[in-house]
Amino acid sequence: MGHKDKNKSEQSGYDEQLRLLQIELVKLQNSLISKGDQILVILEGRDTAGKDGTIKVITQHLSPRETRVVALGKPSDSESAEWYFQRYVAELPKKGEFVLFNRSWYNRAGVEVVMNFCTKSEHANFMGTVNEFESILASSGITILKYYLDISKKEQALRLEDRAKDPLKQWKISPIDQQAQKNWNAYSKCRNEMLEKTSTVEAPWIVVKANDKKVAHINMIQDLLSRVSYPGKDKNLLKANKDIAFKSDGQFSKLEK
């Protein structure tokens, strides 16, 4: 098989697998709507980790009325003076809603610390209260699914270079992106602390190895669907590769350095 034929075959296999998983997502959404359940998916990861693309394939065939993607910008002065979680609370899923946070309150565990956008005491306060906050949400009926997309330093460099060259992607470039490689080790330290201290029974962190975007898409959706219940689930489709998508508990050796 030639190189082009192999690529075509791989793309075809990915498309078919993705389609089957998207059908399962529609089944889940139908169940959510009929039962009035609430699902919150939190997506974190370094700059260029593939959060936008992952959200796109998850939401592609879902009802826009009951699906929301939340990507909050920098807080205003008045928001900065409020309780830290306040602006996020306003975006939580209502009954029957499937909500995805493209970055979340965990900004305070990563970018805000590294870039000195918050004080040490603000960071400490966040780390000391976030588990209790999520526990309250879980006990109120919200299912919280937290995913960290993990990429290598080399892969991030390639993706940053691609953004700089591609006129269709240049809107994604920010001053923070430009500091990503320089601050690689600082982000690694924050990532490890976040995964270690904020992964709980009610809201565990799932790490997804994301150097290969298509593999990451398939395995994250498989993992997500395996963690929720809905009628007509095809369990044979939902066997994620445990080397690609795995609970963060004590598996720091698997993370990109």
Side-chain angles (χ1 to χ4, degrees):
M1 187 185 286
H3 185 63
K4 277 189 179 177
D5 291 336
K6 184 170 180 279
N7 286 347
K8 195 173 178 181
S9 173
E10 285 175 359
Q11 181 65 39
S12 175
Y14 166 76
D15 289 343
E16 179 57 24
Q17 197 173 6
L18 180 60
R19 180 178 174 276
L20 293 172
L21 290 171
Q22 288 173 331
I23 290 170
E24 294 295 304
L25 284 166
V26 171
K27 288 183 194 175
L28 168 61
Q29 183 164 61
N30 287 337
S31 173
L32 262 185
I33 294 166
S34 65
K35 291 182 182 175
D37 290 340
Q38 300 149 280
I39 290 182
L40 173 64
V41 177
I42 288 175
L43 265 169
E44 292 288 340
R46 299 180 193 266
D47 295 313
T48 76
K51 296 178 289 296
D52 291 331
T54 303
I55 288 170
K56 191 173 180 180
V57 296
I58 291 172
T59 60
Q60 189 174 1
H61 297 290
L62 297 182
S63 162
R65 187 175 296 171
E66 286 87 12
T67 309
R68 276 192 297 121
V69 178
V70 177
L72 297 183
K74 182 182 171 185
S76 66
D77 289 344
S78 61
E79 285 173 333
S80 295
E82 295 170 350
W83 176 48
Y84 176 68
F85 293 104
Q86 191 157 331
R87 70 192 192 120
Y88 294 102
V89 169
E91 303 292 347
L92 290 171
K94 300 173 179 64
K95 296 287 185 187
E97 269 195 330
F98 186 90
V99 173
L100 301 100
F101 277 10
N102 185 347
R103 295 199 183 276
S104 65
W105 43 76
Y106 284 102
N107 277 337
R108 183 139 291 181
V111 66
E112 289 192 16
V113 187
V114 174
M115 301 299 290
N116 294 315
F117 295 157
C118 69
T119 65
K120 286 182 180 177
S121 66
E122 285 171 336
H123 172 250
N125 181 263
F126 170 81
M127 295 298 284
T129 58
V130 66
N131 290 347
E132 186 181 0
F133 172 68
E134 290 178 356
S135 178
I136 292 167
L137 298 185
S139 64
S140 75
I142 296 175
T143 299
I144 305 170
L145 301 165
K146 301 190 301 198
Y147 289 92
Y148 183 88
L149 303 185
D150 199 40
I151 57 171
S152 68
K153 188 175 184 179
K154 181 181 177 183
E155 180 63 23
Q156 185 187 61
L158 290 170
R159 292 183 187 182
L160 286 169
E161 188 181 348
D162 181 50
R163 278 187 184 180
K165 288 179 179 174
D166 188 340
L168 294 178
K169 294 180 181 176
Q170 285 176 0
W171 63 271
K172 290 187 172 188
I173 298 171
S174 72
I176 292 173
D177 284 351
Q178 290 162 352
Q179 299 290 316
Q181 290 270 293
K182 190 178 92 171
N183 293 319
W184 181 268
N185 292 337
Y187 276 116
S188 294
K189 184 182 174 189
C190 288
R191 172 201 62 189
N192 293 353
E193 182 185 15
M194 179 187 80
L195 294 177
E196 183 179 8
K197 294 184 177 176
T198 66
S199 192
T200 62
V201 173
E202 291 169 310
W205 275 108
I206 308 303
V207 175
V208 180
K209 304 290 271 182
N211 280 342
D212 184 316
K213 292 179 182 180
K214 290 176 184 175
V215 170
H217 294 164
I218 296 297
N219 282 273
M220 184 186 146
I221 298 173
Q222 287 173 322
D223 183 90
L224 188 160
L225 290 165
S226 73
R227 293 180 186 279
V228 290
S229 61
Y230 58 93
K233 180 188 282 193
D234 188 342
K235 291 182 181 176
N236 293 324
L237 292 173
L238 310 183
K239 294 178 175 135
N241 182 336
K242 296 303 178 189
D243 288 324
I244 303 293
F246 52 90
K247 275 191 185 181
S248 66
D249 311 348
Q251 300 198 60
F252 293 115
S253 61
K254 282 188 174 184
L255 298 175
E256 296 290 351
K257 299 295 185 285

